[in-house]
Amino acid sequence: MGEKESKINSYIAGVVQKYLPKHEEIIHSGIFLVLSKEEGLELPDWYYNGYSVISETISCFLQNLCKSRTVTFSGDGLYQITVDDEVISAEDLEKATQNLEMFLADYETGIQIVKEANRVFKSSSIGVVG
């Protein structure tokens, strides 16, 4: 797995671990905000669907993490992470978690992340992060 893919997987897992989201929108929005601050991880396929910031690329990454059982859905409807060094190393997850603490320090809840992602996206002239 390449460095870019490994970083994205780690960030997705970090958002899941930190915010325990029920909705993919929180994961997408959190990654959108992170990628607006993380150099070298440009993803040009963000689009606005009238309600939220969603990325086909992040959907594919999340789907692959679910297929590998690295990210699962709990009985109470929350995404949760199972650490698996073959998919995401503990070191990569720790680094991503530290970056998330820095990049998303102002947001205590998933809805705050979603609102900020929508604001940032709408203020972008072409809707592309990076």
Side-chain angles (χ1 to χ4, degrees):
M1 184 180 338
E3 183 180 344
K4 182 176 181 176
E5 291 81 6
S6 181
K7 277 187 176 183
I8 292 170
N9 280 333
S10 297
Y11 278 129
I12 291 171
V15 170
V16 169
Q17 185 175 29
K18 182 170 171 55
Y19 293 98
L20 296 175
K22 281 190 174 189
H23 307 289
E24 283 187 36
E25 182 178 6
I26 296 168
I27 297 168
H28 286 269
S29 295
I31 300 303
F32 175 78
L33 291 175
V34 166
L35 296 180
S36 70
K37 299 170 184 177
E38 173 77 64
E39 293 183 24
L41 285 178
E42 295 88 3
L43 292 177
D45 67 343
W46 292 97
Y47 64 92
Y48 188 70
N49 70 358
Y51 179 66
S52 62
V53 179
I54 302 292
S55 166
E56 290 299 319
T57 301
I58 298 304
S59 289
C60 290
F61 274 95
L62 183 56
Q63 185 177 52
N64 288 335
L65 287 171
C66 288
K67 284 180 183 176
S68 71
R69 310 277 306 148
T70 302
V71 174
T72 60
F73 216 56
S74 70
D76 46 345
L78 299 172
Y79 281 103
Q80 57 190 16
I81 180 168
T82 304
V83 177
D84 178 355
D85 279 342
E86 289 184 26
V87 180
I88 300 171
S89 73
E91 182 181 324
D92 286 348
L93 181 58
E94 177 63 27
K95 186 173 181 180
T97 302
Q98 288 172 355
N99 285 344
L100 284 168
E101 291 292 334
M102 182 178 58
F103 293 146
L104 303 178
D106 296 335
Y107 314 107
E108 294 179 19
T109 66
I111 195 65
Q112 290 174 328
I113 290 172
V114 170
K115 286 180 179 180
E116 179 63 8
N118 281 314
R119 188 195 68 73
V120 168
F121 188 83
K122 286 177 182 177
S123 69
S124 171
S125 60
I126 59 172
V128 175
V129 173

